[in-house]
Amino acid sequence: MKRKTKKKKEKTKKKAAKKGTFKRLLLWLLLLAVLGIAALLLTDLAVRKSADGKILSADALKEDARFGKADCILIFGCGVKNDGTPSDMLTDRLKTGLMLYQAGAAPKILVSGDHGRAEYDEVNTMKSWLTANGVPSEDVFMDHAGFSTYESVYRADAVFEVKSAVLVTQEYHLYRALYGAEEFGIEAVGVPADLHRYRGQSVRDVREMLARCKDFLWCLFRPEPKYLGDPIPISGDGDLTNDK
């Protein structure tokens, strides 16, 4: 009987020890999760705060001392439809960029987007739209390898030698774009291109928080873009970037 009682006690102790270990593990995992979420939120806040005073409406920019002093208007690419026309979001970016160019915000336009495949081409779509709306071809530079926001600002600095720019994209995206520009020494202001409400914006907002954290790390460690290439100064001829 004593042996049986002793064995039961030992089993009870082992179970209690296992439960205690499991609880401690759960607590550590919970603590790590809380710290991870806190780090994401703080990084997101830091990136957004870095844009304070740099996001202006087109009208406010016209009254700002920085108006007309930028090297270029940098328009970020996004979706192109199957028929080769710009998506609604991209059209709004192009309309905003065109309005700024016509107002004299900068003498050149740099369109940066994804042209990694022959069948998908954001930048030629953007340049074609701009030239069809009166912008001289030589004033529009194409960055064919702007596969991400980080790569767009990296290449704007390293390839196109941009020192100052007016960034054009939707407001939710401007915070990250402005942060990247600042990290690469580009003096930038941003003008939102929110001319409509867009479907799926709540999903984009969540994704963008994660993307801000990713670009924060990218700017910290500075990995090179997929492609660099010889310098094409933004002060020159945009037709040097033509591939058609």
Side-chain angles (χ1 to χ4, degrees):
M1 286 292 290
K2 284 183 180 180
R3 283 184 182 178
K4 285 182 181 180
T5 305
K6 192 175 180 182
K7 281 182 180 179
K8 279 183 182 179
K9 284 181 179 179
E10 285 175 356
K11 280 183 182 179
T12 304
K13 281 182 181 179
K14 283 180 182 178
K15 282 181 181 178
K18 281 181 181 178
K19 281 183 181 178
T21 303
F22 184 66
K23 282 181 180 178
R24 283 193 295 274
L25 180 61
L26 280 179
L27 284 171
W28 276 110
L29 289 173
L30 181 61
L31 178 61
L32 287 172
V34 169
L35 289 173
I37 291 168
L40 284 173
L41 293 174
L42 287 171
T43 302
D44 177 63
L45 178 62
V47 171
R48 286 188 288 111
K49 287 293 289 179
S50 72
D52 282 357
K54 295 179 182 178
I55 297 178
L56 306 172
S57 69
D59 288 338
L61 179 60
K62 289 174 189 176
E63 303 300 320
D64 192 271
R66 291 166 287 191
F67 183 77
K69 295 180 180 177
D71 294 334
C72 71
I73 297 158
L74 171 50
I75 306 175
F76 292 87
C78 62
V80 171
K81 297 176 184 177
N82 291 334
D83 63 0
T85 58
S87 63
D88 292 343
M89 287 186 79
L90 185 53
T91 299
D92 286 351
R93 295 180 190 187
L94 292 166
K95 284 180 177 178
T96 303
L98 175 64
M99 175 183 59
L100 291 167
Y101 173 84
Q102 291 173 335
K108 304 288 183 177
I109 297 175
L110 172 59
V111 294
S112 183
D114 185 351
H115 187 193
R117 294 165 285 148
E119 68 275 12
Y120 184 78
D121 184 351
E122 292 178 359
V123 290
N124 274 292
T125 298
M126 295 164 79
K127 178 159 185 171
S128 295
W129 190 97
L130 289 165
T131 54
N133 283 277
V135 182
S137 179
E138 62 269 22
D139 284 352
V140 184
F141 288 71
M142 291 185 288
D143 176 6
H144 298 268
F147 303 125
S148 67
T149 305
Y150 171 80
E151 287 172 294
S152 290
V153 294
Y154 193 124
R155 286 173 53 81
D157 169 50
V159 176
F160 297 97
E161 300 180 352
V162 174
K163 301 304 176 192
S164 56
V166 179
L167 309 187
V168 175
T169 182
Q170 277 69 31
E171 185 170 347
Y172 80 95
H173 181 216
L174 267 177
Y175 300 97
R176 178 161 55 112
L178 285 163
Y179 179 81
E182 181 182 346
E183 287 295 305
F184 281 96
I186 298 171
E187 187 180 341
V189 292
V191 175
D194 299 277
L195 306 184
H196 296 94
R197 294 186 68 179
Y198 310 101
R199 264 194 250 171
Q201 189 56 47
S202 56
V203 175
R204 285 190 203 93
D205 289 338
V206 172
R207 277 204 321 248
E208 187 63 17
M209 185 182 75
L210 297 174
R212 288 183 197 124
C213 296
K214 180 207 76 175
D215 277 16
F216 177 87
L217 292 174
W218 261 225
C219 288
L220 190 62
F221 294 107
R222 301 289 175 97
E224 281 196 359
K226 189 173 182 180
Y227 301 110
L228 275 175
D230 297 329
I232 308 171
I234 196 72
S235 57
D237 187 345
D239 284 339
L240 292 174
T241 63
N242 290 357
D243 65 334
K244 292 182 178 180

